Amino acid sequence: MSADGSYMYTLPSGTSAMFTTQKLSGFSAPVVSGLKPKQGIPRAKFTISGSHFGDAQGLGTVRFGKLLAEIDSWSATSISAYVPSGLPVGTYKVSVNGAGGADAGGATFDGIDLGPALSRAGWTATTSDTSPYDDGPTNMLDGNSDTRYSSGTGQYDGLWIQIDMGQTQTFDKILLEFRQQHRRLCAKCGRVRLHERNRLDQGLFHSGRPASRVEQK
């Protein structure tokens, strides 16, 4: 589409086509009515509610300032997307354009972080299953987002990962991070267990879709 809003199509020699166009004024304007949650860390999932976004994404976009958000799902009344990777802490206007490119308005969102991570020095990782390739459990502790751990087997009830911190540690959040391209291979739910001497704390994480990040508090 050119700057003046016109379109140019190139057809193969000897062919023809017929097009029917309709002015944007003939469509209901897209409108944002809400955003949940209103704060989150990079790669967290959020949902925008509203009307007339379009049945499919088309030319639709969601932006945090100038940063594009990755779309998870799109419908006429709801858009699910992910907070852009590397988003600095701050307050942002989340702007939405509907499937036809029209401005739908937006809402404010607070980008937050988790604070400094614990040092992994002295930690060890063991697992119920280990791939024969170069993606063993130590990759979970190397701080490198370009490496990964793989079980090397299909999912089954009872797969487990154990991290031994080597000493008592104080923390208030656990973050399980799954690489975006592997979300379809990740567990949709699980149980986090924290052991300290004879004490056991545990909590569930669950997502209706494979999660890119799940925060356990």
Side-chain angles (χ1 to χ4, degrees), residues 45-197:
K45 190 175 181 179
F46 62 95
T47 300
I48 299 168
S49 56
S51 58
H52 309 298
F53 294 142
D55 293 334
Q57 182 178 354
L59 300 176
T61 58
V62 176
R63 294 178 183 271
F64 284 68
K66 296 182 179 180
L67 295 176
L68 277 172
E70 179 186 347
I71 304 300
D72 179 67
S73 64
W74 188 291
S75 72
T77 59
S78 179
I79 301 169
S80 292
Y82 297 97
V83 178
S85 296
L87 185 78
V89 172
T91 299
Y92 296 85
K93 179 182 179 181
V94 179
S95 304
V96 179
N97 288 84
D103 181 17
T108 58
F109 184 93
D110 292 324
I112 61 175
D113 65 15
L114 293 176
L118 294 175
S119 169
R120 300 182 181 94
W123 291 19
T124 57
T126 53
T127 59
S128 57
D129 299 87
T130 302
S131 166
Y133 304 104
D134 188 24
D135 46 11
T138 57
N139 287 355
M140 292 186 287
L141 305 178
D142 64 6
N144 184 354
S145 62
D146 291 327
T147 64
R148 65 165 186 159
Y149 158 72
S150 172
S151 66
T153 184
Q155 293 186 34
Y156 64 86
D157 290 343
L159 277 168
W160 58 266
I161 294 169
Q162 178 174 295
I163 307 297
D164 185 347
M165 297 181 176
Q167 59 182 326
T168 300
Q169 299 271 12
T170 300
F171 54 91
D172 61 4
K173 296 181 182 72
I174 296 175
L175 183 69
L176 305 181
E177 180 175 359
F178 303 114
R179 293 295 300 277
Q180 184 67 16
Q181 63 266 43
H182 302 306
R183 276 185 303 141
R184 298 174 67 181
L185 303 178
C186 297
K188 295 183 179 181
C189 63
R191 185 180 300 274
V192 176
R193 295 177 174 174
L194 305 178
H195 296 262
E196 181 184 0
R197 297 188 181 95

